[in-house]
Amino acid sequence: MANTSISVANSKFLKSNIAKWDTADDCIAPLTERQRDSVLDLTTVVNTRIIPEHLKDEDSEFSGVKVPESGRVQKTELLDMFCTIPITNTQQFYGWFCDVQSEMERDEEQHLSHFAHQLTSFKCDCDDLLSEVESSMDQLHDLQTQYEMVSTKTSTLHQSCEHLLEEQTSLMNIAESIQSKLSYFNELDRINTKLGGQSLTVTSEGFIPMLTRLDECMSYMQSNPRYKDSSVYLAKFQHTLSRALSMIRTHVSNLLSSTTSSIQSTKRPAVNPEDTFTLYYGKFRTNSPRVKSLIQQIERRVDKNESYRQLLADCHQCYVSQREVLVEPSVSIAVQELNLKHKTDHCALMRSGCALLVHICQDESQLYQYFFGQPSQMLDEFLERLCNYLYDAFRPLIIHINHMETLAELCTILKVEMLEDHVYNNPQPLQSFEKVVLQMLQDVQERLVYRTYIYINSDILNYKPGTGDLAYPDKLQMMQNIAESMKVGGKSLRSQSSMNSSTQSLEGQEVAAIVGGEIVSGDQVKGAATLPVSVNSSMPLSPADLHGMWYPTVRKTLVCLSKLSRCIDTTTFQGLSQEALNLCIQSLLLAKRLISKNKTQMDSQLFYIKHLLIIREQISPFQASFSVKETQIGFSHIKDAALGLVKRSSDLFKFNSNNSLLQFLVEGTPQATECLMDSKQDVDQQLKVSCAEFIDHVTSQLLSKLQDFLARADVILKMADQGSTTQLKSQPFAQAEAVRECLAESYRVLKSRVPSLHQTMSLYLSNRDTEAILFKPIKARVQKSYQQVIELLAAEYSEEERHIIACPTMEQVLLILSNK
């Protein structure tokens, strides 16, 4: 009964919850509009669907539960039962209704009650199973606890074993470390025992490994100074190393000394060069393998310890001292013999002495490499001492050499033959020789510069020309006649000059640029010839071009510069060349004045132009600038400042900016200015001025009367323009007969002097291009003057008067000017 009431209550609760599933106030499972439509559709389908035949007698919700037939009550039977009960009042109706309702509920819940009984039975079985499972879990928990306890004890035991093993390994490592460290300390006794033995020598196989071990022990002591007694052992090791190195030092010294002694004992007073080489170098080379291996070991250890560096320096010193004992006396004697042999030939002495020292330096350097692998300053000093024997012997000779040719040749020997050919090709062995050569070269250059200054002043500035030096144009004409009489290959020199005259020469280019107002630099001129003058297409052979026909100061200056350019540095050469060219130009000006007195002004001008062209052409190849900066001090303001001080003596003691003494100090200070002196520009300027003077002089000779007539006529015409009644024809000089005589005389002068002018220019210049360029302005002036005369006659004279005057036509004038 209790179960039934519980089921009824549950049924009511379910119904009430089902009734609330879609209420508007307390909706348990609200549905969307779409879900509501789906439910309505499903309801419609379910209401209209016919239950299948095989499911009509089965309950779809509890298909696995069978309900007894007695529990199924048909509606007709219930209705019959209800209808048989009389109902008289409301109370009966309610009682009847409750009975019917209870009966219906029992019928509906009968299968649920049966299922609930089954669930209860299943629950009891599950409770029993759960109790057994809990008992098993308790047992498993006890087992787990016991397992964990055993596992913990096992892990502890394992860790203890591992710790013991680690401690054992650590102790073994410590023991090995102590043993390895102690081995460095214990090595001292073993090495000292070896060094004290009689069987150990520096050539033994165990000597080098012993040095290596000794270095390792010392390095270890130095890197671990905190170890007990490490400093004490380091000092002991250092002492042991010194003992070992002293053995090496003694061995090397004894070997070199014995070799030197054997050479000195077998040395003969006179031997040939091959025997000398074998004697001085052969035995040393033979004994070098006995030392080379030890020296290599020392050189490898130089950076490790100062003792090795000192030992290597001692070996170098011992080697150099032994070589010095052998070689220095021989070199000194050889230099003295060369000095006596070439007492008068300084160049031969220089060549022989330098060749001797070159061979000695190369042989000594090569021999040194048989013993040592690293360079040594001691060897360089030793070789420099050997080279100084030649310097000491040659130095007194240098300061007494007066010939510039000898000094120049010595410079060439030292610069070209020694430095360029030998030293620069083999710099390392000849390093010491290079220092001595440079020192000798500097001394020779100083002497050369000094002698050059003396030569410039004595042979160029103070040169006194002789009669033959000023015999222009006589000696040119004489050489021209000789050249015309000689035939070279079927052609004369003059014909060769004529054949080559179509080619524009270097002189022609220069004169064209200078006469045209443009100065061409030496770098822009190509094909410039150097001393001596040779025959080429751009400069034909002629008397004026011959080296021997140049004015002596020009020849001396160019020869001097050509030698200096190869011997001294550029800066010194620029200063010397600038001074030499200026003095040469001064000497040419003096010769020009003397030639003008003895001959004609045209000869002096052409002489001056030709030699300026020669100078300009010959200095072009020099790879140097002929400009020099000079500092000049000007005292021009001192005079004005002193006058101002005297005039303003009353302001001498004023204490303001108007103090006259203060202004004197400020304004009267000398001024230093820098000016650039360029010899090339001076030559170009002189050449330009000379060409202009020559053109003016020749023009005045050809047109003197004609120009005088034009000048006087120009004065009369200007007066007529200003209102004067004076007519040109009324003047005596402008009458037809006078004009005819003037023009006839001018034409005669022009006709007679133009061929001689061409001949003179050809004799001096010997270049068609140069002659044409110089003659071009003269031709233009002549044409202009005659053109002015023709225009004047046409304007001021009648046709009858012009016939009387008979002025030459321009064609006639051009024909004369073109006739050479």
Side-chain angles (χ1 to χ4, degrees), residues 118-173:
Q118 290 182 347
L119 291 178
T120 302
S121 176
F122 292 156
K123 182 177 178 300
C124 292
D125 295 337
C126 290
D127 291 339
D128 295 336
L129 182 61
L130 181 61
S131 62
E132 293 179 358
V133 169
E134 289 178 353
S135 176
S136 300
M137 291 299 295
D138 292 338
Q139 294 176 359
L140 289 175
H141 179 68
D142 295 339
L143 183 62
Q144 178 69 27
T145 303
Q146 295 176 1
Y147 173 77
E148 290 178 355
M149 181 180 63
V150 174
S151 176
T152 301
K153 292 180 179 180
T154 305
S155 299
T156 303
L157 179 61
H158 181 69
Q159 291 177 357
S160 299
C161 293
E162 288 183 349
H163 180 66
L164 291 175
L165 288 174
E166 290 177 358
E167 289 182 351
Q168 181 183 3
T169 304
S170 176
L171 290 175
M172 292 176 64
N173 292 334

Side-chain angles (χ1 to χ4, degrees), residues 11-34:
S11 171
K12 291 181 178 181
F13 177 75
L14 291 173
K15 288 181 179 180
S16 63
N17 287 338
I18 292 172
K20 295 179 181 180
W21 74 275
D22 196 23
T23 59
D25 297 333
D26 190 12
C27 182
I28 296 176
L31 300 177
T32 60
E33 292 296 331
R34 185 175 180 183

Side-chain angles (χ1 to χ4, degrees), residues 654-698:
K654 286 186 177 181
F655 294 96
N656 53 27
S657 59
N658 294 326
N659 187 286
S660 58
L661 180 60
L662 180 63
Q663 290 185 356
F664 171 76
L665 294 176
V666 174
E667 297 176 359
T669 304
Q671 296 181 353
T673 57
E674 285 188 355
C675 57
L676 186 64
M677 309 294 292
D678 194 339
S679 299
K680 280 188 177 181
Q681 291 184 0
D682 293 342
V683 173
D684 294 336
Q685 187 65 28
Q686 290 290 334
L687 187 57
K688 184 176 181 180
V689 172
S690 300
C691 292
E693 291 178 354
F694 173 76
I695 293 170
D696 294 338
H697 174 70
V698 173

Side-chain angles (χ1 to χ4, degrees), residues 57-68 72 109-119 122:
D57 295 332
E58 298 178 0
D59 189 1
S60 60
E61 183 177 359
F62 302 99
S63 59
V65 182
K66 293 183 179 181
V67 182
R72 298 181 181 178
E109 293 176 357
Q110 186 176 2
H111 61 282
L112 295 176
S113 298
H114 180 72
F115 185 72
H117 286 297
Q118 290 182 347
L119 291 178
F122 292 156

Side-chain angles (χ1 to χ4, degrees), residues 531-669:
L531 294 177
V533 176
S534 60
V535 179
N536 53 55
S537 60
S538 63
M539 191 172 182
L541 184 64
S542 66
D545 293 327
L546 293 176
H547 188 190
M549 299 303 294
W550 294 353
Y551 190 66
T553 58
V554 174
R555 182 173 63 253
K556 292 179 180 180
T557 301
L558 295 177
V559 171
C560 178
L561 293 181
S562 65
K563 293 179 179 179
L564 290 176
S565 64
R566 300 188 298 269
C567 299
I568 59 178
D569 58 281
T570 305
T571 304
T572 308
F573 175 74
Q574 290 176 358
L576 285 173
S577 62
Q578 195 269 341
E579 185 171 355
L581 289 177
N582 287 338
L583 297 180
C584 181
I585 292 174
Q586 293 180 19
S587 67
L588 286 176
L589 289 173
L590 176 62
K592 176 184 176 183
R593 290 193 295 268
L594 295 176
I595 293 174
S596 178
K597 291 180 182 179
N598 298 331
K599 297 296 181 179
T600 63
Q601 186 176 357
M602 182 187 299
D603 290 324
S604 64
Q605 289 173 344
L606 289 174
F607 162 82
Y608 191 58
I609 291 173
K610 177 61 180 179
H611 282 87
L612 288 178
L613 288 173
I614 291 173
I615 293 174
R616 194 176 190 280
E617 183 178 7
Q618 294 298 323
I619 65 176
S620 297
F622 294 133
Q623 299 297 324
S625 174
F626 289 84
S627 59
V628 178
K629 285 186 178 181
E630 293 185 356
T631 302
Q632 297 179 352
I633 300 177
F635 297 93
S636 59
H637 301 285
I638 296 180
K639 181 179 179 181
D640 298 336
L643 292 176
L645 178 63
V646 173
K647 292 178 180 179
R648 300 177 57 193
S649 58
S650 59
D651 299 336
L652 189 62
F653 299 101
K654 286 186 177 181
F655 294 96
N656 53 27
S657 59
N658 294 326
N659 187 286
S660 58
L661 180 60
L662 180 63
Q663 290 185 356
F664 171 76
L665 294 176
V666 174
E667 297 176 359
T669 304

